[in-house]
Amino acid sequence: MRRFRDWWANPWGKPRFLVLFTALYLFWSIVPILIAIRFSFNEGRSRSTAQGWSLRWYTDDPDLSVLHDPALSSALLQSLRLAAIAVLVTVPLGVALAIGLTRWRGRGAGMSRSVSLATLVTPEIVMGTALLLVFIHLLTFVQLGTMAQAIGHITFSLVFVVIIVRSRLLAIGPDYEEAARDLGASQLQALRLALLPMLVPAIVASGIIVFAISMDDFVISAFLSSGTGTDTVPVRIYATGRTAPTPALNALATVTLAATIVIALVGFVLWRAVRRTRGQTGSTVGEFAALDAEPVR
C-alpha cells in the first residue's frame, strides 16, 4: 500500500492514465469509421445489419454503386478536383506568405501577422456566407460552381499553410540564410539552396492537411455550389442521407477516406525517397548545419 501511495504521489513518474485515455480516444474515433467501412461492403441494402460481403455498392450494382451512379461519381470527382486545385495554389502561396510575414520587420508587420490568422478564428459559415455575397453582388464575373468553390477552399485553407510553415521558419531562424549569404550566395540562392530544403517537411505536411480539409469541407462547398453537378462528397452525403440512403454512401465515404490516406502516404514516401537520394538520414536542420562550411554554388 505504501508503494502505491508513493507511486501515486510522485509527480515525476510516468503518466498514470495517458495510455488509457489515448486508447479510449482512439477507440472512440476509429471504431465508428470501421463500422461505416464494414457496411460499405454489405451485400444487402441495410446500413445497420451485416448481410455478407460484396463490392455491390462500389462497382457491381448497375444503378446505385459509386461507379455507376452519376450523382455519386460526380461528387467524388468534384471533391478530388477541388482538393487538387487547393493544394496546387494554396501551398506555394502559403509558403511565400509565411516567408514574407516571418521576415517582415517594421511598421505594420505585427498587424499583418494578426490579420493573416483571421480566417482561423472566423466561423466557416460566416466565411461561406461572405464569399457567396461577394460573388453574387461584387465579383459577378466569378460564377458559382467550381471556380467559386476553389477560391473558397483556397481562402479557407491558406491560413493552415501559413501556420505550419511559419512554425518551421521560427524554429530554423535566419542564421542559415545569413550563413549562405556570407559564403557568397545571393538572396535568391540562399532562399532556394538553404531555406527551402529545410522547409520540405512543413511543405509536405501543409499540402496533406490542405488536401484533407478540402475533401472534408461542407459549408463553403454547399454555399458556393451551382447545383447537383458541383456537389462535393460531404454535400452529397448530407443530401442523400436525409432521404433513403443505401450503403453506397458508406462506399463513397470509404473511397474518400482511402484517397486522403493514399495522398498522405504518397507525400510521405516521396519525401523519404528524396531524402534518401540526397543521402540524408538525420534531421534537416542538423544535416544543413553539418554542411554550412561548404561554399554555396
Side-chain angles (χ1 to χ4, degrees):
M1 182 62 68
R2 182 177 179 180
R3 293 181 59 185
F4 175 77
R5 287 199 302 267
D6 293 341
W7 170 80
W8 181 265
N10 180 16
W12 308 108
K14 293 182 179 180
R16 301 178 180 88
F17 302 108
L18 180 60
V19 176
L20 175 62
F21 287 151
T22 302
L24 289 176
Y25 170 75
L26 292 176
F27 180 83
W28 178 262
S29 303
I30 295 176
V31 168
I33 297 175
L34 295 179
I35 294 174
I37 293 174
R38 164 62 186 91
F39 285 109
S40 71
F41 294 97
N42 225 16
E43 191 172 2
R45 296 178 62 94
S46 175
R47 300 174 70 235
S48 59
T49 303
Q51 298 173 327
W53 297 82
S54 75
L55 294 176
R56 173 184 177 183
W57 306 107
Y58 287 91
T59 59
D60 293 349
D61 194 293
D63 299 316
L64 301 176
S65 64
V66 175
L67 182 64
H68 296 98
D69 188 336
L72 299 183
S73 58
S74 173
L76 180 60
L77 291 176
Q78 181 70 1
S79 288
L80 292 173
R81 184 183 301 114
L82 292 175
I85 295 172
V87 171
L88 292 176
V89 176
T90 305
V91 172
L93 187 61
V95 171
L97 183 59
I99 294 175
L101 290 173
T102 304
R103 298 292 184 257
W104 186 5
R105 297 292 183 270
R107 180 178 300 177
M111 179 63 69
S112 298
R113 296 188 188 102
S114 300
V115 172
S116 67
L117 302 178
T119 55
L120 185 65
V121 298
T122 303
E124 190 176 0
I125 190 169
V126 175
M127 177 71 68
T129 305
L131 288 173
L132 176 63
L133 295 176
V134 166
F135 293 147
I136 290 178
H137 299 292
L138 294 178
L139 304 180
T140 54
F141 60 89
V142 178
Q143 300 295 320
L144 295 181
T146 301
M147 180 181 295
Q149 288 173 322
I151 295 175
H153 285 208
I154 293 168
T155 304
F156 184 74
S157 303
L158 184 62
V159 64
F160 296 95
V161 182
V162 173
I163 290 175
I164 295 172
V165 176
R166 276 205 72 211
S167 299
R168 181 71 171 171
L169 282 168
L170 294 174
I172 293 171
D175 297 340
Y176 298 101
E177 285 182 272
E178 294 174 359
R181 295 294 303 275
D182 292 339
L183 294 171
S186 64
Q187 187 172 1
L188 182 60
Q189 287 176 321
L191 175 66
R192 181 173 59 88
L193 299 176
L195 185 61
L196 287 182
M198 291 188 288
L199 292 180
V200 169
I203 294 173
V204 173
S206 61
I208 294 172
I209 290 176
V210 168
F211 184 89
I213 290 174
S214 180
M215 290 289 292
D216 185 60
D217 184 81
F218 172 79
V219 176
I220 292 177
S221 299
F223 270 74
L224 302 181
S225 174
S226 61
T228 56
T230 56
D231 282 349
T232 59
V233 169
V235 176
R236 175 52 51 190
I237 290 177
Y238 175 77
T240 309
R242 300 180 64 186
T243 55
T246 67
L249 286 185
N250 296 62
L252 180 62
T254 302
V255 172
T256 305
L257 176 63
T260 305
I261 294 175
V262 167
I263 292 297
L265 291 177
V266 168
F268 177 75
V269 170
L270 289 177
W271 172 62
R272 292 294 298 270
V274 170
R275 286 173 59 80
R276 281 198 300 267
T277 57
R278 295 177 177 178
Q280 299 172 335
T281 55
S283 66
T284 309
V285 176
E287 289 157 1
F288 187 81
L291 299 174
D292 64 357
E294 297 183 5
V296 180
R297 297 180 175 84

